[in-house]
Amino acid sequence: MSATATPFPRELVREDLRDFAGYSSARTSWAGTARIWLNANEAARANHADPEDLLRRYPDPQPAPLVRALASAYGVDPADLVVGRGSDEAIELLVRALCRPGGDGVVVSSPTFGMYAVSARLHGVPLHDVPQRDLGDRFEVDANALTRTVRETGSRVLFLTTPGNPTGSTVPLATIGALASDLARSAVVVVDEAYQEFASGPSAITLLGDHPNLVVLRTLSKAHALAGARVGVAIGHPDLAAVLRRVQAPYPVPEPVSRLALAALEPSALSDTAARVVATIAGRDRLRDLLDRSDLVEQVYASEANFVLARGAAGPLLETLAGTGIVVRDMRHQVEDAVRVSVGTDAELDEVARALHLTPAPTTQRKP
């Protein structure tokens, strides 16, 4: 079943791209069967480094077995899904397809993932920021201000990240649904769920059937431990998915990556991923406790991702950890006096504890 039976608002696509056919590759220009392929100027013989002759041919632009496996994993129709080079490419495709260079606009809610701003700038699209509210233990988006900003600026894309990066905070489904409804004819609401597997609540994928202007981004980089493979998807209305495929560069999924991703979506691999997620959540709780006990940390934010955001004496904290060879992310460019620490293995968290002169054992005591 497709994400929605309601038509996608075609007017949200760039006017000059609404009828754009895209690049017709050798793979997509022939729909029939063939015995001998001589249409793509590929080498006639395999490379010595490829003795099984797996890489001599160009790959399918959207490998059907992988698309079906990803669609099954996320509970959507294959027609609703576009696979590409990580979520970063999906972000790029959305800005490219929906926003005119020098016009329209992209709305974000800082602190947030930096690629939204990068893609907007690369395409010459104005960026409008509606800062989140810092509630002390978590961050909260200002839905009314986001709706107002989209309308006042004529923006075509609103990016939400849940769980947020670097905040670790989530956006309630009711808020996402309300934004999508309020902006139904104004903008595409993009929900970046790179860390959804670590969250306690349901995915915004459950809202797709009611909102043609909603897109959800997912990735194999985090919970599935395949950051080096670069596999991400955009899930949304099939009409919009077709537009994104047309503006995508050819052959986005190399053959080895496709095979690896398929293997990662096998039942045994998914079982291993589920166990890894459970271990990560336990490690996240322990990491929060460690940071909470450090004299260099004043505030530890709640997190539903695979990292923890903390505020305090950021400079000394960064120096202390770096002095023992531990690198964490300096987030002071987004949140005052803040660092972001990824959840590591038990042994790595032991090293963090030692670097902070703490006993490795966790504690349930929190600062007031």
Side-chain angles (χ1 to χ4, degrees):
M1 180 178 178
S2 189
T4 177
T6 307
F8 178 77
R10 192 167 183 261
E11 66 272 16
L12 295 183
V13 178
R14 272 174 50 182
E15 185 175 4
D16 59 321
L17 295 180
R18 289 171 193 169
D19 298 315
F20 178 62
Y23 175 70
S24 179
S25 70
R27 285 291 171 268
T28 59
S29 62
W30 177 258
T33 59
R35 185 171 58 88
I36 297 174
W37 293 94
L38 300 175
N39 68 333
N41 299 337
E42 298 154 327
R45 298 171 182 81
N47 189 288
H48 177 76
D50 179 27
E52 297 180 8
D53 195 15
L54 299 175
L55 305 178
R56 180 168 56 89
R57 302 289 188 186
Y58 286 109
D60 289 336
Q62 293 286 297
L66 178 58
V67 170
R68 288 194 297 267
L70 287 164
S72 176
Y74 297 127
V76 300
D77 192 279
D80 305 336
L81 185 146
V82 180
V83 59
R85 306 165 181 88
S87 296
D88 291 347
E89 185 180 29
I91 294 165
E92 182 83 5
L93 294 177
L94 286 159
V95 175
R96 181 186 305 164
L98 302 174
C99 301
R100 296 168 300 163
D104 299 321
V106 166
V107 175
V108 299
S109 188
S110 65
T112 193
F113 184 43
M115 280 305 299
Y116 313 137
V118 169
S119 291
R121 181 164 183 178
L122 289 174
H123 287 279
V125 177
L127 182 74
H128 309 283
D129 182 23
V130 179
Q132 298 182 51
R133 293 185 283 250
D134 186 346
L135 303 183
D137 64 335
R138 60 188 175 88
F139 284 80
E140 179 183 73
V141 299
D142 187 338
N144 291 333
L146 286 169
T147 299
R148 184 172 60 253
T149 300
V150 169
R151 290 174 173 166
E152 290 177 351
T153 62
S155 293
R156 290 286 181 88
V157 183
L158 166 61
F159 283 107
L160 299 172
T161 311
T162 180
N165 176 15
T167 66
S169 301
T170 56
V171 182
L173 285 189
T175 300
I176 295 171
L179 283 165
S181 293
D182 291 344
L183 300 172
R185 310 301 299 188
S186 303
V188 171
V189 177
V190 182
V191 182
D192 190 340
E193 290 188 340
Y195 302 94
Q196 175 60 30
E197 288 87 349
F198 306 106
S200 57
S203 166
I205 290 173
T206 58
L207 302 176
L208 289 174
D210 297 322
H211 303 287
N213 65 322
L214 184 64
V215 173
V216 177
L217 307 183
R218 298 294 290 265
T219 181
L220 299 189
S221 293
K222 307 301 181 181
H224 295 269
L226 292 179
R230 310 306 302 131
V231 179
V233 298
I235 306 169
H237 195 286
D239 293 348
L240 178 57
V243 171
L244 298 181
R245 292 187 203 103
R246 293 198 296 269
V247 302
Q248 189 175 33
Y251 313 120
V253 187
E255 178 65 25
V257 169
S258 180
R259 285 188 279 113
L260 178 64
L262 272 172
L265 296 170
E266 290 289 335
S268 59
L270 290 176
S271 177
D272 180 68
T273 293
R276 186 167 49 250
V277 167
V278 171
T280 300
I281 292 172
R284 181 182 70 199
D285 293 341
R286 183 184 174 205
L287 177 59
R288 286 196 69 205
D289 286 326
L290 291 174
L291 293 172
D292 191 62
R293 292 161 56 202
S294 172
D295 292 337
L296 298 175
V297 175
E298 296 176 3
Q299 175 64 47
V300 181
Y301 291 87
S303 174
E304 297 218 32
N306 68 341
F307 58 81
V308 172
L309 183 71
R311 294 180 65 178
L317 178 58
L318 288 162
E319 292 173 4
T320 297
L321 294 173
T324 63
I326 300 171
V327 179
V328 300
R329 189 68 182 266
D330 185 350
M331 298 307 303
R332 287 177 290 183
H333 60 292
Q334 289 211 52
V335 181
E336 184 179 3
D337 295 328
V339 299
R340 189 192 67 198
V341 186
S342 302
V343 176
T345 64
D346 289 341
E348 289 169 335
L349 294 183
D350 286 345
E351 291 288 341
V352 170
R354 279 190 283 271
L356 297 177
H357 304 293
L358 302 170
T359 57
T363 178
T364 57
Q365 297 299 313
R366 295 233 180 255
K367 294 176 182 175

